[in-house]
Amino acid sequence: MNDLAPLLTPEGRALLDEVRGTAPADELAVATRLRRGHPAGLVSAALGQARLRQRAVAKFGAEDAERMFFTPNGVEQSTRASVAAYRAERLRALGVTSVADLCCGIGGDAIALARAGIRVLAVDRDPLTAAAARANADALGLAGLIDVREADVTEVDTAAYDAVFVDPARRGGRGRVFDPEAYSPPLSWAVRAALKAPHAALKVAPGIPHEAVPAEAEAEWISDGGDVKEAVLWFGTAPGAVRATLLPGPRTLLGRGLPDPEVRSVGRYLYEPDGAVIRAHLVAEAAEELDGGLIDPTIAYVTADALRATPYATAYEITDQLPFNVKKLKALLREREVGILTVKKRGSAVEPEELRRKALPKPQGPHSVTVFLTRVAGAPTMLLGRPAGLT
């Protein structure tokens, strides 16, 4: 699929309606039937678009995904709608009324910005991607607020806009790119573009090293439903600030520069911090809220004797602490009639699936157990427990 234009014709749109929801196993039969009355290339394009729309539901929801147009890279790299909406609301709250969205992709962020009432210049150098962004603005009734331009973002004048948003490509021919200077465009260029605007937001990989964050930026790590989605470098807000934001909510934990928590023996409860909290290096802030400490100086598990509600970590009640020993674990699970075993690890080389297969080869019994493969005071350890219920 290298041209969206045929799909935007009345015939193309009718085909898209007809193939909506086609299961992969039915594609051949559907294609054979439709090719009797339509060009083969158009039928293939419609079925390909239907597949992309099905994949996009997880990010955009069924109502939008079934009306939008996608490219394979666009589905993979676009921002989840909930995250884009949160970021758009932050910009709106800053008083931003216009944004230059550079590297706009298929328009996911531009859509969220427009729905927040913000006027958007959406720029992408790839003709097919720009065409998808334009089609999406039109399909969702937002063409009046989104101006899509096919251009090299490094040549776009953003002086007329209140804010700049940059989402550099972080994939190359060999997969994910981890060096921020290997982004396209490089992070250093994006920072220069950000510093020219009153406000700016740069979307970067959540694994960005903290030392790569510019001094002028606020760094925010965002998770959605417990999964870390991205980091954002904000300009024109609070230079040097660090925050972890959890969606839905939003719930935001602000860094206060606390020292590392003390190491304690394992208490009654173990708290697993949200991934955004860990990526933002705010485990100390979460631990202070819980009056907790670490089980090991290198492991981001917090232990405490009291159960406290927090959005920033999931609580487990610990029932057993054992040195790492598969045979002992297997015997204990059999004795307690465990049928469901959840394995989590941090600081262990053992693969959870491997341990699950060895320790519980034949699940029997009504009970469930969570096993944490980790280190306690440097020693390989298994902690057994169950969700505490209050989180």
Side-chain angles (χ1 to χ4, degrees), residues 4-5 7-10 13 53 63-64 66-69 106-108 110-111 114-115 120 122 129-148:
L4 285 177
L7 292 176
L8 300 176
T9 64
R13 291 180 184 276
R53 286 177 168 182
E63 185 177 350
D64 281 352
E66 289 177 358
R67 293 187 289 165
M68 292 172 67
F69 294 84
I106 55 90
I111 290 166
R115 283 176 168 168
V120 185
T129 303
R134 190 174 294 111
N136 289 334
D138 183 64
L140 299 180
L142 298 169
L145 283 170
I146 301 175
D147 175 20
V148 179

Side-chain angles (χ1 to χ4, degrees), residues 22-35:
T22 300
D26 298 330
E27 282 190 2
L28 180 58
V30 171
T32 301
R33 175 175 57 82
L34 292 176
R35 282 170 182 163

Side-chain angles (χ1 to χ4, degrees), residues 255-259 282 285:
R256 302 195 302 281
L258 299 181
L282 298 181
E285 280 75 3

Side-chain angles (χ1 to χ4, degrees), residues 308-331:
R308 296 188 181 184
T310 176
Y312 305 116
T314 302
Y316 295 84
E317 185 175 8
I318 299 303
T319 57
D320 300 88
Q321 177 177 339
L322 306 170
F324 181 80
N325 187 304
V326 177
K327 289 184 177 180
K328 288 185 177 179
L329 176 63
K330 183 177 180 180

Side-chain angles (χ1 to χ4, degrees), residues 60 79-89 101 107-118 120 140 142 146:
F60 292 92
T79 304
R80 182 179 290 263
S82 55
V83 178
Y86 162 74
R87 184 167 43 239
E89 178 56 29
D101 178 0
D109 283 283
I111 290 166
L113 290 164
R115 283 176 168 168
I118 297 172
V120 185
L140 299 180
L142 298 169
I146 301 175

Side-chain angles (χ1 to χ4, degrees), residues 164-178:
V164 169
F165 172 67
V166 188
D167 182 4
R170 293 179 296 283
R171 285 184 177 273
R174 298 182 178 179
R176 290 185 183 275
V177 172
F178 297 98

